[in-house]
Amino acid sequence: MSLIYRLASRNLFQDRLRFVATIIGIVFSIVLVTIQLGLYLSFERMVTTMIDHAPADLWIVPLGTKCFEDPSLLDEHDRDHALSVQGVAEAIPVVIGFTQWTVPSGGTTPVFIIGSDASKTGLHPWNFVAGNLETLSTPHAVAVDRTYFGRLGITKIGDTTEIRDQKAQVTAITAGIRSFTTTPYVFTALEPAQVYMGSGPNKVSYFLINVSPKANIDHVRAQLLEHLSKVEVLTPDEFRDRSRSFWLFGTGAGAALFAGALLGIIVGTVIVAQTLYSSTKDHLIEFATLRAIGSSSVYIHKIIICQALLSATIGFSLAAAISLIIVKSTAETALPIVMTPELTAGLFLLTVFMCVASALSAIVQVIRIDPAKVFNQ
Amino acid sequence: MTCPVIEAIDIVKDLGKGAGQVQALKGISLSLTCGELILLMGPSGSGKTTLLSVLGCMLTPTSGTVRVLGQSTAGAGPGDLAKLRRDHIGFIFQSYHLFPTLSAVDNVRLALDIRGTAAEPALVRSKEVLSTVGLSHKINAFPHELSGGEQQRVAIARAIVGGASAILADEPTGALDSENGHAIMTKLAEIAKDHSRGVLVVTHDPRILPFANRIIRMEDGRSCLQAA
Ligand SMILES: Nc1ncnc2c1ncn2[C@@H]1O[C@H](COP(=O)(O)OP(=O)(O)O)[C@@H](O)[C@H]1O
Ligand SMILES: [Mg+2]
């Protein structure tokens, strides 16, 4: 093996305190970036989770709908107009909206109702841990996620409460269906949802359109727009984009997360640059000696970059371990931090980039080195 | 092997800037042939180190010509000069300048590593050279575990391991007691006997005179006396 690695690792480990400072800098920075981007990914998933799980080729939404949680309503008889369009196989009504849940032990808490006919395809709960979809066909039946047990003041199947003064009974429990707004989702059938929302029997929020196998989606969409007024027809991707840009960028939440991540990167780069710079300064006479005995500048740069890459690898490994613990410990909470293989790989590249960029300040130092200085020391 | 190894003609070297500028070399000529040991002597500040730096292609002269193995260094950039040093010149310094984090054998191997010699043959060669300077029993010792004389012998091994044609030493015995100093000079004289290279040693030490083929005395940037 070339001595480059040996020189780099010994330079790195020789000054323990500086080594620890370097690693803390990297770990702090990468964990911070992980949390920010992990939250962003988590938010991104939560924001579109309902759209992701809805069996729709197209969505009919009220004109001007900004996100899935938008309170605007459609007329239920628009469904007949939609079904009259050739190529439309199904137009499934869905009712959504915020309302009040009475906590059995006292007080109320806001919840987000999702109502869809339980006996047919529709926007139904998934990930059942107790009960099942059929139970939602019984009167007053609701399904909730166990993440929100504390907030809703319930503990098990069969618990009863009131939603907007109407009786409700928990008949099914899911796991991991969390909302970006942190308001608990409550699934129910279509009519009870209309009752819980107080929206009236002939009002719905969306129609999920399924087109027949041979139909052309663009064509169906144009026809729907022709047959219906004051609506928009969106593909799931368009609706996702709209929800995402509303919640993550319209509210500034996404910008805040990215600003936090950027701050982490800057702080980390500055710390690593500072420690590498001072390490190089301490070994300047050795670099001058290398130059004096005829080493190329590339050889010297390789030592410094190797030192940076070693710091990156050690720092990243520690940061990844800490992030894994954070991911595990937030997995069951209302605000889970998400790690994906892509994010992990991206963070590793970011760490490497950060460390190599930091090495530049040290490299600039040795570029100007005068080999003749070895005679005077 | 082309002789002379290094040739310097009419070298002038200005050092420093503005009011602090000094002419450290004032038109000096010198040539080092293979198989010879030149001693460069003279009072402190007379320009010995500056001359060594110019001969060793670490400093470019303000005017005058330097030829290494017949090839002029005029117009060579820092990278070209580094390559010249790597391929043809070995340096020995008063304060050794060994790498404190590397063992003796790795310090020697470094001179081969910078040329891209593979680790295995470089290691074998470095051990061989260390044994010629009498350090075969200390190859794994770190500089701080070696005496001054032993450290300087490692430095000699590093200077010769790559087969340099010129060995330039600046006061190599300056930090050593007389016994160790004598041993180092004997070693350098032995190296000079090899007809593939020339050795130039800057020194204050009159005890070294018997080792020399030639003695050059410097005074104020000029050579004032050459004795055979
Ligand atoms: N970097 C420098 N800048 C200005 N003057 C220098 C520099 N280096 C050496 N000098 C001057 O050049 C002259 C020759 O120095 P040097 O070659 O080191 O002498 P010696 O090695 O014979 O003691 C001295 O007067 C010294 O002060
Ligand atoms: Mg000197």
Side-chain angles (χ1 to χ4, degrees):
Chain A
M1 194 184 356
S2 164
L3 288 169
I4 290 175
Y5 173 78
R6 200 165 290 179
L7 281 167
S9 60
R10 303 225 168 125
N11 281 358
L12 187 64
F13 302 136
Q14 200 184 28
D15 187 333
R16 297 278 159 78
L17 209 62
R18 182 158 50 212
F19 173 63
V20 169
T22 310
I23 296 306
I24 287 177
I26 298 172
V27 168
F28 169 82
S29 160
I30 296 305
V31 169
L32 183 61
V33 174
T34 307
I35 291 175
Q36 302 288 320
L37 296 186
L39 274 178
Y40 179 81
L41 279 187
S42 171
F43 286 172
E44 201 181 51
R45 277 187 195 177
M46 288 196 281
V47 160
T48 62
T49 184
M50 289 303 157
I51 304 172
D52 296 340
H53 283 90
D57 297 323
L58 289 169
W59 287 71
I60 297 181
V61 308
L63 190 66
T65 298
K66 292 185 191 64
C67 60
F68 179 78
E69 289 77 6
D70 202 289
S72 312
L73 293 169
L74 296 168
D75 270 327
E76 196 163 27
H77 49 250
D78 278 344
R79 179 162 185 261
D80 301 328
H81 298 306
L83 284 171
S84 73
V85 168
Q86 198 176 15
V88 171
E90 267 183 297
I92 305 154
V94 172
V95 170
I96 56 111
F98 290 97
T99 186
Q100 292 293 322
W101 171 286
T102 305
V103 180
S105 59
T108 62
T109 188
V111 291
F112 192 84
I113 293 283
I114 294 168
S116 167
D117 196 335
S119 59
K120 300 182 192 136
T121 8
L123 182 41
H124 300 309
W126 59 95
N127 266 3
F128 286 98
V129 290
N132 54 38
L133 184 56
E134 284 79 71
T135 63
L136 289 187
S137 303
T138 55
H140 317 299
V142 298
V144 297
D145 197 90
R146 66 177 177 195
T147 312
Y148 300 112
F149 272 3
R151 193 102 63 85
L152 299 173
I154 54 164
T155 54
K156 59 184 186 305
I157 296 243
D159 282 359
T160 57
T161 183
E162 284 179 352
I163 301 175
R164 222 178 64 95
D165 303 326
Q166 307 293 317
K167 187 181 176 222
Q169 181 169 35
V170 176
T171 62
I173 292 164
T174 63
I177 306 183
R178 282 161 292 206
S179 74
F180 170 70
T181 59
T182 76
T183 308
Y185 285 127
V186 173
F187 287 92
T188 180
L190 191 67
E191 290 80 20
Q194 286 166 327
V195 173
Y196 293 145
M197 292 300 306
S199 55
N202 50 4
K203 292 284 181 188
V204 301
S205 303
Y206 303 114
F207 291 112
L208 311 182
I209 301 296
N210 283 322
V211 301
S212 33
K214 276 184 232 116
N216 174 307
I217 290 199
D218 289 333
H219 186 72
V220 170
R221 176 171 160 154
Q223 290 293 303
L224 282 169
L225 285 171
E226 223 165 82
H227 282 74
L228 298 162
S229 60
K230 292 189 187 159
V231 303
E232 289 181 78
V233 183
L234 303 177
T235 63
D237 276 339
E238 287 166 346
F239 201 14
R240 269 190 281 268
D241 281 348
R242 222 179 252 209
S243 271
R244 235 179 249 145
S245 62
F246 176 79
W247 284 116
L248 298 178
F249 297 100
T251 62
L257 289 172
F258 280 116
L262 192 66
L263 193 74
I265 295 169
I266 292 172
V267 169
T269 309
V270 168
I271 293 178
V272 178
Q274 174 58 39
T275 55
L276 259 178
Y277 181 87
S278 72
S279 161
T280 306
K281 209 178 175 72
D282 281 2
H283 294 97
L284 219 48
I285 190 65
E286 287 162 40
F287 289 118
T289 306
L290 271 172
R291 200 70 178 131
I293 67 172
S295 111
S296 65
S297 43
V298 171
Y299 188 90
I300 294 176
H301 300 170
K302 276 185 185 165
I303 296 174
I304 296 172
I305 288 177
C306 183
Q307 215 174 317
L309 290 180
L310 264 174
S311 314
T313 310
I314 298 169
F316 177 79
S317 310
L318 263 175
I322 293 173
S323 301
L324 208 65
I325 294 171
I326 295 175
V327 168
K328 282 249 182 315
S329 64
T330 60
E332 297 298 313
T333 67
L335 214 61
I337 289 166
V338 175
M339 276 292 263
T340 62
E342 292 82 6
L343 179 61
T344 312
L347 285 170
F348 180 66
L349 290 182
L350 177 73
T351 317
V352 167
F353 173 79
M354 191 172 93
C355 290
V356 172
S358 308
L360 287 180
S361 69
I363 286 175
V364 164
Q365 227 186 152
V366 294
I367 281 175
R368 285 179 281 142
I369 211 165
D370 175 13
K373 75 179 284 173
V374 288
F375 286 114
N376 306 319
Q377 295 202 13
Chain B
M1 184 59 61
T2 328
C3 283
V5 181
I6 304 181
E7 227 181 335
I9 303 153
D10 284 332
I11 302 297
V12 173
K13 180 66 185 174
D14 297 330
L15 287 172
K17 283 197 181 80
Q21 197 178 62
V22 229
Q23 195 160 67
L25 299 176
K26 298 172 177 163
I28 192 166
S29 299
L30 182 154
S31 81
L32 174 67
T33 5
C34 19
E36 79 169 338
L37 172 68
I38 298 182
L39 285 190
L40 188 57
M41 306 189 82
S44 180
S46 59
K48 304 182 298 295
T49 297
T50 310
L51 179 58
L52 198 80
S53 309
V54 171
L55 293 173
C57 305
M58 288 218 219
L59 290 179
T60 45
T62 310
S63 73
T65 310
V66 177
R67 291 202 195 101
V68 177
L69 297 178
Q71 193 192 337
S72 168
T73 62
D80 306 319
L81 293 176
K83 192 169 178 310
L84 267 180
R85 294 195 293 271
R86 189 188 77 184
D87 293 340
H88 306 300
I89 301 165
F91 289 96
I92 296 161
F93 312 100
Q94 178 173 354
S95 43
Y96 327 128
H97 288 312
L98 297 180
F99 286 68
T101 57
L102 296 183
S103 65
V105 70
D106 280 344
N107 263 288
V108 177
R109 192 184 133 200
L110 192 59
L112 298 173
D113 201 54
I114 58 172
R115 332 167 152 222
T117 310
E120 243 349 274
L123 209 56
V124 171
R125 175 90 188 106
S126 303
K127 285 178 186 165
E128 267 169 34
V129 176
L130 270 178
S131 72
T132 67
V133 297
L135 283 178
S136 45
H137 58 301
K138 296 253 167 124
I139 56 169
N140 291 320
F142 283 86
H144 68 92
E145 297 164 337
L146 298 171
S147 73
E150 288 169 333
Q151 290 188 56
Q152 196 59 300
R153 281 191 271 161
V154 174
I156 291 174
R158 178 177 69 187
I160 63 175
V161 71
S165 314
I167 305 294
L168 307 180
D170 194 10
E171 312 203 17
T173 59
L176 300 175
D177 59 29
S178 63
E179 192 183 327
N180 276 305
H182 194 267
I184 291 296
M185 283 315 296
T186 313
K187 195 90 257 167
L188 287 172
E190 204 180 299
I191 287 167
K193 287 206 187 85
D194 183 330
H195 281 270
S196 66
R197 59 186 161 232
V199 179
L200 185 140
V201 181
V202 170
T203 185
H204 280 306
D205 193 341
R207 289 167 307 182
I208 304 170
L209 294 175
F211 295 103
N213 300 102
R214 244 188 326 151
I215 297 160
I216 298 172
R217 283 190 198 278
M218 278 188 80
E219 193 99 53
D220 194 24
R222 296 184 176 87
S223 82
C224 62
L225 182 77
Q226 288 215 12

